[in-house]
Amino acid sequence: MMGGQAGVHSALYMATLVTVPYPLLMVFYPRLLAAGKAKKVAPIACIHRLLTMPKAMVIRNPIRKVALFQSLLSPPLALDVKRLPAG
């Protein structure tokens, strides 16, 4: 990624490397390597997969879209200062 996106790129790259052993990408990553993709290129394809999967899930299921927007619009949970331990 170009244009000052180094922080975003490194965060997505590390998240992808952590996610590869899980079933989400366990089939996709070895298939990319078997197809001849370099070990530095395959995680970038996995990043693309990780970014497009939630979008596809929301598009296919409009109920998720409503739930997503409701969670974004709801106020954050208030911190109850009275219940915090002293000290």
Side-chain angles (χ1 to χ4, degrees):
M1 288 183 195
M2 302 289 285
Q5 303 289 334
V8 174
H9 181 264
S10 61
L12 287 172
Y13 191 80
M14 292 306 292
T16 302
L17 291 181
V18 169
T19 310
V20 166
Y22 292 95
L24 183 66
L25 296 175
M26 192 180 295
V27 176
F28 185 63
Y29 184 75
R31 189 174 64 196
L32 289 171
L33 295 178
K37 296 286 184 192
K39 285 197 172 199
K40 293 273 187 169
V41 175
I44 303 301
C46 292
I47 288 172
H48 186 263
R49 171 71 58 104
L50 282 175
L51 291 175
T52 56
M53 281 173 38
K55 179 183 172 188
M57 289 187 326
V58 167
I59 289 172
R60 289 188 184 130
N61 189 348
I63 295 171
R64 286 190 182 145
K65 186 184 294 186
V66 171
L68 174 68
F69 287 122
Q70 285 176 347
S71 68
L72 291 174
L73 295 176
S74 66
L77 296 174
L79 183 61
D80 191 3
V81 180
K82 296 175 190 173
R83 302 179 94 182
L84 292 176

